[in-house]
Amino acid sequence: MAGAQGGVARRLAGGRARTDGAAPDRKLKVGFVLARLFTLSAFSLFIDTLRLASDELDRSGRVKADWELLGSTRHLIRSSCGVSVAPTSDLTRPERFDMIVVVGGRLESEELCDEETLRFLQHAADLRIPLIGLCTGTFILAEAGLLTRHQTCVSWLHYASFRERFPDLKARPDRLFNFDGMRGSCAGGMSSADLAAHIIRTFIGRDAEQNALEVLQIGRARAPTDTQTRAPLQQLEGMATTDRRVNATLITMEQHLAEPKSIQSLAGMVGLSRRQLERLFLTTLGMAPAHAYNLVRLQRARQLLAGTDRPIIAIAIDVGFNNASHFSRAFRRTYGVSPTEVRSGFARMPEEEAEGAIIDAAAERRAASP
């Protein structure tokens, strides 16, 4: 997060961010751009954290911050849940704002925003105004060519789509949010409030942040180094971990199945040596990282076998196995049934029921074995 204050701080009075809890010399001004079918939770959590930080208690005065909802037209903008909001300003003079926040929407939408909005964001970037993408707002910034040389946080849910569309950009599916001073991003959901709290603490003050968190009933704002709440092995394997480095590694494993990363590379991503990561996994999960990686791959294969009609060899390749026989042996060792048996016996069941049946069948076979 080094240098994270630079872009906004230069725009605030005196070129300095506040770190003493005192009010800034002038308001922090934020512009919001909403995608078509935007995510209401990401927008509301960010703007309400800003609103409550701007004044005492819940008075909602625009004392320490101000904001506008920007649009290429004044037509209502519909969210993914059906609630619509109206822009309060046209796309003019981006220099009015200390930062511009782009709220993403459902990726099935043919066009998240129009060309005029993209040009507005590019103009803002030319003026060195910090740009932040909430949830899939990062897709809009990437589409506009504005994330080059910046690391992006993407939800584990949308990571594969982001990598497919923008293979040359740096993205992480494990972290909650990132802000380097010129670009910010978050995974969406509650992490929108975490990112807003970080910005408020840095550029308005700790007292303002604390007021917002207390009114919103948020006990603690999470840090950019905290991991997303996705736990790949927890739901189906009965394993849970609270170690953020282990969970971050598991999330990264989950997003690199067809071409698995080396254990050395995974260790480096969480600031550990290979040996340190192996010790941490053994202490936390009781298994080596390589074994955990294999379970993550087979877990995904099991989901595909139970919930899709893809050929078994295609599923094997999707989860990083070079041939079907190697995949079948590994699958049987883990679950006690072959991929073919799963496909023939459970393919017509709903996904959760099929997975439960697979687990039960595996348990029966293990109990019956000498």
Side-chain angles (χ1 to χ4, degrees):
M1 300 292 288
Q5 298 178 359
V8 182
R10 282 192 294 271
R11 305 183 64 81
L12 292 174
R16 294 176 297 171
R18 302 308 302 243
T19 59
D20 56 2
D25 296 323
R26 71 172 182 84
K27 297 178 182 180
L28 177 68
K29 296 181 179 179
V30 181
F32 287 91
V33 171
L34 304 184
R36 294 189 176 98
L37 298 179
F38 69 94
T39 307
L40 186 61
S41 60
F43 172 57
S44 61
L45 282 165
F46 193 103
I47 198 170
D48 247 13
T49 307
L50 185 64
R51 172 183 69 88
L52 293 166
S54 180
D55 201 355
E56 296 179 357
L57 302 176
D58 62 346
R59 294 174 183 167
S60 302
R62 302 192 183 198
V63 178
K64 302 170 187 175
D66 200 0
W67 50 90
E68 294 280 1
L69 179 54
L70 312 176
S72 56
T73 72
R74 291 301 180 96
H75 295 155
L76 293 175
I77 305 172
R78 189 168 182 262
S79 69
S80 59
C81 70
V83 173
S84 297
V85 298
T88 61
S89 173
D90 297 328
L91 294 173
T92 58
R93 297 180 56 239
E95 63 271 19
R96 293 178 295 158
F97 303 103
D98 296 306
M99 63 180 64
I100 294 172
V101 177
V102 182
V103 185
R106 288 174 54 183
L107 295 179
E108 307 94 275
S109 177
E110 292 184 5
E111 189 180 57
L112 290 175
C113 65
D114 56 29
E115 289 296 325
E116 184 179 351
T117 302
L118 291 179
R119 288 194 297 271
F120 173 80
L121 295 173
Q122 290 163 343
H123 181 39
D126 291 340
L127 295 174
R128 297 189 58 76
I129 296 169
L131 302 172
I132 294 173
L134 303 186
C135 195
T136 56
T138 52
F139 283 72
I140 296 173
L141 294 178
E143 187 68 36
L146 302 176
L147 291 181
T148 306
R149 299 186 302 277
H150 298 277
Q151 188 175 88
T152 304
C153 285
V154 180
S155 167
W156 62 268
L157 183 63
H158 301 122
Y159 178 76
S161 296
F162 190 89
R163 295 293 298 154
E164 182 180 347
R165 295 192 193 189
F166 313 107
D168 297 329
L169 296 181
K170 298 177 181 178
R172 294 193 64 159
D174 57 331
R175 296 293 174 84
L176 283 174
F177 68 88
N178 184 61
F179 183 59
D180 62 16
M182 294 307 302
R183 298 291 183 274
S185 55
C186 76
M190 279 298 301
S191 68
S192 299
D194 296 314
L195 176 54
H198 173 82
I199 289 170
I200 290 162
R201 179 172 65 253
T202 305
F203 302 113
I204 298 180
R206 291 185 180 275
D207 291 343
E209 177 204 18
Q210 191 61 33
N211 183 72
L213 295 178
E214 288 177 355
V215 176
L216 288 171
Q217 301 294 320
I218 298 175
R220 178 185 71 89
R222 294 171 294 180
T225 53
D226 285 343
T227 59
Q228 296 179 30
T229 54
R230 172 71 171 170
L233 288 180
Q234 181 173 332
Q235 182 180 1
L236 297 179
E237 308 300 339
M239 301 173 188
T241 174
T242 56
D243 190 288
R244 63 176 180 81
R245 295 163 297 180
V246 171
N247 206 49
T249 302
L250 290 172
I251 292 172
T252 303
M253 289 176 177
E254 189 179 47
Q255 303 299 334
H256 295 85
L257 299 180
E259 298 179 0
K261 286 186 169 291
S262 69
I263 303 303
Q264 183 74 36
S265 173
L266 291 169
M269 293 182 71
V270 292
L272 299 175
S273 68
R274 174 174 181 147
R275 183 166 295 183
Q276 288 172 324
L277 185 67
E278 288 173 341
R279 284 200 298 265
L280 185 60
F281 263 70
L282 287 170
T283 301
T284 307
L285 294 180
M287 66 179 71
H291 186 190
Y293 211 158
N294 198 50
L295 280 179
V296 170
R297 293 160 65 197
L298 292 173
Q299 175 182 282
R300 178 58 178 160
R302 190 178 71 193
Q303 292 169 343
L304 293 172
L305 287 165
T308 75
D309 59 358
R310 286 177 58 76
I312 290 176
I313 182 59
I315 291 175
I317 293 171
D318 284 347
V319 298
F321 289 88
N322 294 326
N323 59 73
S325 60
H326 181 202
F327 167 64
S328 294
R329 288 194 300 272
F331 194 92
R332 182 181 287 276
R333 272 197 309 270
T334 300
Y335 295 115
V337 290
S338 71
T340 303
E341 290 173 302
V342 171
R343 176 55 55 78
S344 61
F346 306 115
R348 291 185 174 86
M349 294 184 181
E351 184 174 347
E352 290 184 4
E353 184 179 344
E355 288 171 347
I358 295 167
I359 294 170
D360 292 342
E364 289 175 5
R365 291 190 179 224
R366 289 189 183 115
S369 62

